[in-house]
């Protein structure tokens, strides 16, 4: 169906607070343009769905135009359109899905509604080439903490474990608020932790050795809050850097331990880490250290491809085209709770 040797795919991502538009040719990244509404949410200490939806609506056309300009292309050069159909914020998803349908219909090209989480796996191919089959994927973000077995990212993704309460990124945001750090918490805790000690405070590791591949960060978040409250009640200064480092160490200790357990349990020698929290410097360092010791090959995209973006959606769309997967219909819904096992809808 492609008018080119490799399909040129336009990807649209609007699952949360960033309007992402990416363009790829096969596994070659041509453009990755993002319009973020983060500043509009910061004063609320978290993402406000209605604000995010309105921001997507305003940013959509200019962001598509910006991506096309960055790629040196016209809309008529696009061979297929891919869009995040879920999971995510319902209203935000609706904006992206509606826009993608309009572009696909207007251009007369196939439409692919894709899974946001599977796209976080597929994006690594833009940097490190085709994914080994099978791979283990650890996805960590504000809304998700998941371990996946990925025999084929275009067709077969299997859930091995997930968070039973707070996701890792959500815990970062809540702990940052306790420490008086700005939203979003992840980058600020990472920065503060570099001046502190990861062993200064011993915080709990939820589900650390329970035999499952699930995660729990709610108890850790509460433990940090109680520790800080006790210091403040005693009139003592809270050592922000040490608390940030110790909290961060507890999170990445569990994440990397479970990921390596999954590799060993399923005899897989390739681990991919994706999602916004994959930009965390301590997670990347500890994962590399533990993978080297276990003889596991680690793949982590550069930070700009870890956070939500249109390139990851376009990358998965290109995989679906190459695999001969049947396109979506114009009736596809926006599914805020789309399960990870459903790669495309």
């Amino acid at each position: 169906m492609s008018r080119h040797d490799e399909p040129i795919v336009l990807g649209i991502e609007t699952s949360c607070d960033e309007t992402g538009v990416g363009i790829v040719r096969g596994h070659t990244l041509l453009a990755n343009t993002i319009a973020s509404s983060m500043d509009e949410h910061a004063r609320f200490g978290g993402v406000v769905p209605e604000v995010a939806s309105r921001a997507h609506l305003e940013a959509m056309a200019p962001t598509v135009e910006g991506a096309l300009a960055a790629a040196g292309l016209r809309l008529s050069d696009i061979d297929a359109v891919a869009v995040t159909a879920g999971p995510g914020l319902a209203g935000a998803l609706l904006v992206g899905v509606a826009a993608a349908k309009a572009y696909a219909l207007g251009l007369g090209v196939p439409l692919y509604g894709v899974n946001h989480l599977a796209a976080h796996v597929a994006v690594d191919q833009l940097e490190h080439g085709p994914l080994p089959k099978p791979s283990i994927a650890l996805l960590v973000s504000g809304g998700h903490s998941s371990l996946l077995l990925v025999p084929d990212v275009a067709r077969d993704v299997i859930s091995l474990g997930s968070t039973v309460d707070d996701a890792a990124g959500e815990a970062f945001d809540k702990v940052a608020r306790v420490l008086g750090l700005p939203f979003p918490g992840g980058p600020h805790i990472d920065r503060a932790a570099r001046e502190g000690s990861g062993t200064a405070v011993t915080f709990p590791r939820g589900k650390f050795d329970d035999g499952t591949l699930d995660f729990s960060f709610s108890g850790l978040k509460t433990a940090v809050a109680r520790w800080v409250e006790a210091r403040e009640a005693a009139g003592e200064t809270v050592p922000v850097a040490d608390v940030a480092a110790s909290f961060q160490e507890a999170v990445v200790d569990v994440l990397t331990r479970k990921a390596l357990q999954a590799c060993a349990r399923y005899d897989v020698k390739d681990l991919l880490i994706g999602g916004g929290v994959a930009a965390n410097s301590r997670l990347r360092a500890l994962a590399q250290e533990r993978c080297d010791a276990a003889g596991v090959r680690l793949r982590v995209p550069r930070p700009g491809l870890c956070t939500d973006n249109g390139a990851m959606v376009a990358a998965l769309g290109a995989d679906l085209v190459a695999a001969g997967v049947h396109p979506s219909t114009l009736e596809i819904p926006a599914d805020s709770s789309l399960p990870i096992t459903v790669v495309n809808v």
Side-chain angles (χ1 to χ4, degrees):
M1 58 76 71
S2 173
R3 291 164 282 183
H4 307 90
D5 293 337
E6 291 183 297
I8 296 178
V9 180
L10 174 75
I12 296 174
E13 154 60 26
T14 62
S15 66
C16 192
D17 63 313
E18 291 174 321
T19 307
V21 177
I23 302 175
V24 303
R25 179 186 286 114
H27 285 160
T28 301
L29 178 61
L30 303 180
N32 188 29
T33 304
I34 296 174
S36 176
S37 60
M38 183 62 68
D39 290 345
E40 298 176 51
H41 304 283
R43 66 192 179 99
F44 300 105
V47 175
V48 181
E50 177 65 17
V51 172
S53 301
R54 290 180 179 275
H56 288 310
L57 191 60
E58 294 172 1
M60 181 57 63
T63 308
V64 170
E65 292 168 3
L68 289 167
L73 298 172
R74 298 171 297 178
L75 267 175
S76 58
D77 294 315
I78 300 301
D79 294 308
V81 176
V83 62
T84 295
L89 301 175
L93 290 169
L94 280 169
V95 176
V97 169
K101 289 177 180 180
Y103 282 116
L105 182 63
L107 294 171
V109 300
L111 171 69
Y112 293 86
V114 308
N115 191 298
H116 173 86
L117 301 181
H120 272 303
V121 177
V123 73
D124 184 71
Q125 299 174 107
L126 301 180
E127 190 164 12
H128 299 125
L131 284 173
K133 298 180 181 181
S135 296
I136 294 291
L138 170 65
L139 299 186
V140 278
S141 67
H144 304 279
S145 296
S146 305
L147 267 171
L148 312 170
L149 175 63
V150 187
D152 181 348
V153 71
R155 297 181 183 275
D156 192 13
V157 176
I158 301 165
S159 177
L160 302 179
S162 60
T163 184
V164 300
D165 42 52
D166 289 355
E170 185 179 0
F172 269 90
D173 288 338
K174 291 178 177 178
V175 168
R177 190 179 309 165
V178 168
L179 295 176
L181 298 174
F183 176 85
H188 296 285
I189 285 182
D190 192 0
R191 195 172 300 116
R194 293 171 193 170
E195 305 299 321
S197 168
T199 60
V201 186
T202 301
F203 288 125
R205 273 98 164 126
K207 302 185 76 64
F208 187 70
D209 199 19
D210 66 345
T212 77
L213 295 175
D214 292 327
F215 303 99
S216 172
F217 297 109
S218 180
L220 169 60
K221 168 206 67 183
T222 301
V224 175
R226 295 293 176 266
W227 193 94
V228 170
E229 288 170 4
R231 290 286 294 229
E232 291 175 337
E236 300 175 7
T237 301
V238 175
V240 172
D242 283 341
V243 174
S246 298
F247 159 75
Q248 177 177 268
E249 194 68 21
V251 173
V252 303
D253 187 14
V254 173
L255 290 173
T256 55
R257 179 182 175 86
K258 295 270 187 174
L260 269 296
Q261 285 177 345
C263 290
R265 189 173 300 180
Y266 291 89
D267 193 25
V268 174
K269 294 298 183 183
D270 292 276
L271 172 64
L272 164 70
I273 303 180
V277 181
N280 179 271
S281 62
R282 180 55 184 155
L283 174 59
R284 297 166 83 97
L286 185 59
Q288 189 66 67
E289 177 186 320
R290 290 183 168 175
C291 282
D292 289 345
V296 171
R297 293 175 290 272
L298 177 65
R299 295 165 61 119
V300 190
R302 61 182 180 269
L305 293 179
C306 291
T307 51
D308 293 346
N309 61 84
M312 69 186 200
V313 178
L316 182 52
D319 284 335
L320 295 171
V321 173
V325 174
H326 198 275
S328 306
T329 70
L330 290 176
E331 284 71 44
I332 61 169
D335 187 347
S336 61
S337 57
L338 186 68
I340 181 55
T341 50
V342 179
V343 175
N344 68 296
V345 297

